[in-house]
């Protein structure tokens, strides 16, 4: 299993939210590139970067895009990027600055024709971000909740052409509360595409539990708050995810 460190951007700074609440923000650095280089040194093979301002406002913010451009140029790491990707034009803009994949959420949730078109045009470079609160999908920077259950929504996205899913348990995100395996298990059993797990990964035991899941298992897990809070060392987590010891 691949471990992917997360870098969340707000106003050009590296921050973390708790349960997606913009009023509960912690700033870890004015220079996100410093963390990107640190994760590279500790063995990261990919980064998960979210423009939080873009997610909330519905359009990526220039300042955050420039930060991402610099991260890609100076680390060489593949970056999967989300936050405000509401159209093909925006997705292509992210790809032009060097993003390897783009994360689609609100845009594909709103209209099936748009979802089908985006999946067809972007192919493997698109990831559907399915963020769930109490089993229901949340969109618009987690500020709006849909009636659709997460598994039902995931099956609809796959039927429309989605090739990869990133699944986040919002209740666990940024709370250092451990991964919530049952809803992840339900999603893995339902869909036929690779799934990236996110939300609550806090300890090496969480990493072991995720990497030891019976097939179909998550292809990767995103780790955020635990790294910044010092609860988890990336190099150790990567070793465990690969079946080794820290």
């Amino acid at each position: 299993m691949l471990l992917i460190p997360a870098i969340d951007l707000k106003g050009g700074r590296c921050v973390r939210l708790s349960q997606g609440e913009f009023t509960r923000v912690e700033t870890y650095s004015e220079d996100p590139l410093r963390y990107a280089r640190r994760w590279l040194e500790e063995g990261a093979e990919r980064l998960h970067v979210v423009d939080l301002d873009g997610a909330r406002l519905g359009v990526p913010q220039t300042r955050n895009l420039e930060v991402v451009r610099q991260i890609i140029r100076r680390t060489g790491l593949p970056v999967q990027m989300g936050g405000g990707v509401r159209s093909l034009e925006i997705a292509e803009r992210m790809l032009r600055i060097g993003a390897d994949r783009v994360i689609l959420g609100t845009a594909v949730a709103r209209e099936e024709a748009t979802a089908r078109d985006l999946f067809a045009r972007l192919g493997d470079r698109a990831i559907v971000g399915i963020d769930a609160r109490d089993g229901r999908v949340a969109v618009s920077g987690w500020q709006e909740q849909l009636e659709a259950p997460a598994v039902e929504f995931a099956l609809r996205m796959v039927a429309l052409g989605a090739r990869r899913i990133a699944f986040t348990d919002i209740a666990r995100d940024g709370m250092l509360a451990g991964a919530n395996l049952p809803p992840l298990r339900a999603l893995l059993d339902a869909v036929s595409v690779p799934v990236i797990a996110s939300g609550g990964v806090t300890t090496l035991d969480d990493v072991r539990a995720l990497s030891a899941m019976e097939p179909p298992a998550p292809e990767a897990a995103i780790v955020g708050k635990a790294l910044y809070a010092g609860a988890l060392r990336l190099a150790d987590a990567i070793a465990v995810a690969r079946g080794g010891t820290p």
Side-chain angles (χ1 to χ4, degrees), residues 8-243:
D8 288 353
L9 302 174
K10 188 175 188 298
R13 300 183 302 274
C14 178
V15 307
R16 295 299 297 173
L17 306 183
S18 295
Q19 297 180 325
E21 296 288 344
F22 283 87
T23 57
R24 303 167 66 188
V25 58
E26 294 178 70
T27 299
Y28 285 94
S29 178
E30 297 289 332
D31 180 15
L33 179 60
R34 180 169 68 87
Y35 272 109
R37 285 171 165 159
R38 175 177 170 182
W39 305 146
L40 173 63
E41 290 169 0
E42 291 194 23
E45 298 177 39
R46 171 177 291 274
L47 296 175
H48 177 86
V49 181
V50 177
D51 177 351
L52 294 174
D53 300 306
R56 183 169 59 89
L57 298 172
V59 60
Q61 299 301 290
T62 301
R63 184 175 180 183
N64 293 332
L65 286 173
E66 182 56 31
V67 170
V68 176
R69 188 198 306 273
Q70 292 302 318
I71 286 173
I72 294 168
R73 283 182 176 177
R74 299 192 186 189
T75 68
L77 286 169
V79 167
Q80 55 193 47
M81 184 180 180
V85 190
R86 308 286 169 87
S87 68
L88 178 63
E89 179 184 2
I90 292 173
E92 290 178 336
R93 182 182 179 190
M94 288 182 170
L95 295 175
R96 282 197 300 272
I97 70 170
D100 175 59
R101 296 173 182 161
V102 292
I103 303 162
L104 307 172
T106 305
V108 295
R110 299 290 190 203
E111 192 174 319
E112 288 194 358
T114 299
R116 187 180 289 108
D117 183 59
L118 284 169
F119 297 145
R121 290 174 179 269
L122 297 173
D124 286 332
R125 305 193 79 177
I127 301 174
V128 178
I130 299 181
D131 307 324
R133 182 187 288 114
D134 298 325
R136 303 275 176 179
V137 176
V139 296
S140 298
W142 298 355
Q143 298 173 96
E144 180 184 348
Q145 192 143 332
L146 306 181
E147 289 300 316
V151 171
E152 177 185 306
F153 180 79
L155 288 170
R156 182 155 56 93
M157 292 299 102
V158 172
L160 291 171
R163 300 186 189 181
R164 179 172 277 102
I165 290 169
F167 176 68
T168 301
D169 184 325
I170 295 173
R172 300 294 179 100
D173 193 69
M175 299 305 293
L176 301 179
N180 189 2
L181 298 186
L184 175 62
R185 178 75 274 163
L187 185 70
L188 288 164
D189 288 341
V191 300
S192 57
V193 300
V195 174
I196 301 170
S198 177
V201 178
T202 305
T203 67
L204 291 179
D205 284 341
D206 289 325
V207 178
R208 289 190 186 95
L210 286 167
S211 61
M213 291 181 77
E214 294 293 326
E219 72 164 0
I222 296 167
V223 187
K225 181 70 171 288
L227 297 177
Y228 295 94
L232 193 63
R233 183 171 174 267
L234 181 60
D236 294 340
I238 289 173
V240 169
R242 290 173 174 166

